[in-house]
Amino acid sequence: MKNNMLFLFVGVLVTGFLFSPVFVVAKDVCYVDKDIDDGGNGGKKDPYKKISKALDKGCHNIIIEEGTYEEAITLGKGVEIEGKSRDDVVIIGKVTMKDNSSLENVTVSGNGINVEKNADVKVKDVKIEDAHIGINTLGNGKLEVNDVVFTKNHKGLYLQRGKNVKITGCKVYNNSEEGIDIRSNVDGIISRNEIYDNGESGIEVILGKSDLVIENNKIKNNDASGIAIQYYKQANKLGDIKIIGNTITGNKSFGINCKTPSGGGQTKDYWSKSVNMHSNKIFDNKDGDFSKSCHFGDILISNANKTKEQIEEEQTKQEQKKIE
């Protein structure tokens, strides 16, 4: 009798759980194809018509067939979306990304991507165009962006304070404002990107508490400076910005510029204590390769275009002379 009662209790519990209105069975892989009739079950042979339908059904891995999808979507925690081709899968609508989500092989047109606060997200092989901001982060968490095209936006990327970033292999061009706009207290690496023909500076970064490596990028022909580094009174801590192995040329203002939008207050050595440079090719920028407002000093400017080995060799020779 006791066993029968136990089985009855478990049966009622499971049945109630499965048929609860808030319970959704998550699927491993779902398919979406705009060219089919609505009413599919998300399978490869019977896909959903809309991305939002797959999301509503709790799909975590979503494969999108070719076509233009006019809908705003939110990638919930752990959701991965992959299009069949970056050029042939177009999402027209705002894309919001939550923690541990990823987006790959699509074009996002018109509204860009918003990354929620504290979210770790990945964006790969994506094109983002015609948005106010290509990728906008709300601070904290990790952002990994690889092989992404940002074009015809106002800003390519807007990285707000507290974010850890890895931006590699991207093309950032023909945006009407900055290619990459970085607020204070942003850490990470910006490497092997092409950043050119933007309406303002290629990269703009507030130094305060930032810990960034900017390396092996081609930054050219931007309408302001190649890299504009900034001091703000409310973000007055030293930064640690390493500018290494970049080609910075043909920009309409300086190769590297220093600005104080909120006014003065910093000491002249603030810039040189916050910036380290070597192994670059910085040349032929219209207003000069280094703004005088940076107060970098002859040694730092000289080292900017020398390799690390050349700098170390010169230091060794100087030490030998002291001993002699």
Side-chain angles (χ1 to χ4, degrees):
M1 184 67 177
K2 289 182 178 180
N3 287 338
N4 290 338
M5 291 297 292
L6 177 61
F7 289 137
L8 178 61
F9 172 75
V10 172
V12 170
L13 180 64
V14 171
T15 302
F17 179 65
L18 288 175
F19 289 96
S20 168
V22 299
F23 179 74
V24 177
V25 179
K27 296 185 178 182
D28 289 336
V29 181
C30 295
Y31 293 83
V32 176
D33 187 345
K34 67 172 290 293
D35 291 330
I36 57 92
D37 293 331
D38 203 1
N41 62 13
K44 191 170 185 179
K45 294 183 179 180
D46 193 15
Y48 296 123
K49 188 176 181 66
K50 290 188 174 183
I51 305 168
S52 53
K53 182 72 172 290
L55 292 166
D56 290 343
K57 292 295 185 178
C59 301
H60 280 173
N61 299 84
I62 302 172
I63 308 297
I64 307 176
E65 298 292 340
E66 296 178 1
T68 298
Y69 298 82
E70 296 188 33
E71 49 184 317
I73 59 173
T74 296
L75 282 64
K77 186 173 182 178
V79 170
E80 300 177 1
I81 289 183
E82 180 178 353
K84 281 300 184 77
S85 166
R86 176 169 75 184
D87 294 327
D88 296 322
V89 177
V90 181
I91 300 172
I92 300 177
K94 182 184 290 185
V95 176
T96 301
M97 299 184 71
K98 296 188 176 184
D99 189 34
N100 202 30
S101 63
S102 68
L103 185 66
E104 184 173 353
N105 287 349
V106 302
T107 289
V108 177
S109 181
N111 289 276
I113 297 173
N114 279 355
V115 179
E116 289 202 341
K117 189 173 183 179
N118 301 317
D120 295 350
V121 307
K122 295 181 180 180
V123 182
K124 181 180 179 182
D125 197 17
V126 169
K127 183 178 182 180
I128 307 172
E129 61 184 7
D130 298 324
H132 181 65
I133 300 173
I135 292 182
N136 180 35
T137 73
L138 299 180
N140 297 329
K142 297 178 181 179
L143 172 67
E144 187 172 330
V145 180
N146 178 248
D147 191 21
V148 173
V149 174
F150 299 85
T151 187
K152 296 184 290 184
N153 307 291
H154 289 287
K155 294 180 189 288
L157 298 95
Y158 187 48
L159 309 176
Q160 298 193 45
R161 59 179 292 116
K163 207 72 181 175
N164 181 281
V165 302
K166 184 178 181 181
I167 301 167
T168 57
C170 298
K171 289 186 177 181
V172 186
Y173 66 96
N174 283 344
N175 300 286
S176 61
E177 298 179 13
E178 299 89 351
I180 305 176
D181 188 347
I182 308 170
R183 302 292 85 188
S184 62
N185 193 24
V186 172
D187 303 335
I189 184 168
I190 300 171
S191 177
R192 298 182 290 102
N193 305 287
E194 296 180 39
I195 304 167
Y196 59 95
D197 292 341
N198 295 291
E200 297 186 19
S201 294
I203 298 175
E204 182 176 278
V205 55
I206 297 175
L207 287 177
K209 292 184 71 177
S210 287
D211 185 357
L212 282 169
V213 176
I214 302 172
E215 66 173 6
N216 300 327
N217 302 284
K218 295 180 180 178
I219 307 171
K220 62 181 183 179
N221 301 336
N222 296 286
D223 283 352
S225 297
I227 300 176
I229 52 179
Q230 297 185 339
Y231 167 90
Y232 276 82
K233 291 179 181 178
Q234 60 269 38
N236 59 9
K237 302 293 184 183
L238 290 176
D240 184 6
I241 309 295
K242 299 175 180 66
I243 301 173
I244 303 168
N246 303 283
T247 299
I248 304 173
T249 186
N251 298 287
K252 293 183 181 178
S253 186
F254 294 95
I256 297 179
N257 195 9
C258 300
K259 296 182 176 181
T260 55
S262 66
Q266 85 290 353
T267 59
K268 287 185 177 181
D269 63 355
Y270 174 83
W271 310 100
S272 58
K273 285 183 176 179
S274 298
V275 177
N276 186 16
M277 300 181 287
H278 66 77
S279 305
N280 301 287
K281 296 177 181 178
I282 305 174
F283 62 96
D284 287 346
N285 297 285
K286 185 175 180 180
D287 291 339
D289 296 331
F290 303 95
S291 170
K292 290 183 179 179
S293 62
C294 295
H295 302 286
F296 279 151
D298 293 339
I299 294 176
L300 184 57
I301 290 174
S302 176
N303 287 346
N305 289 338
K306 292 178 181 177
T307 66
K308 188 176 181 181
E309 290 74 19
Q310 288 174 324
I311 295 169
E312 290 173 348
E313 184 179 346
E314 290 179 0
Q315 290 174 343
T316 300
K317 288 180 179 178
Q318 291 175 356
E319 290 173 359
Q320 288 175 344
K321 284 183 180 180
K322 289 180 180 179
I323 294 171
E324 294 172 358

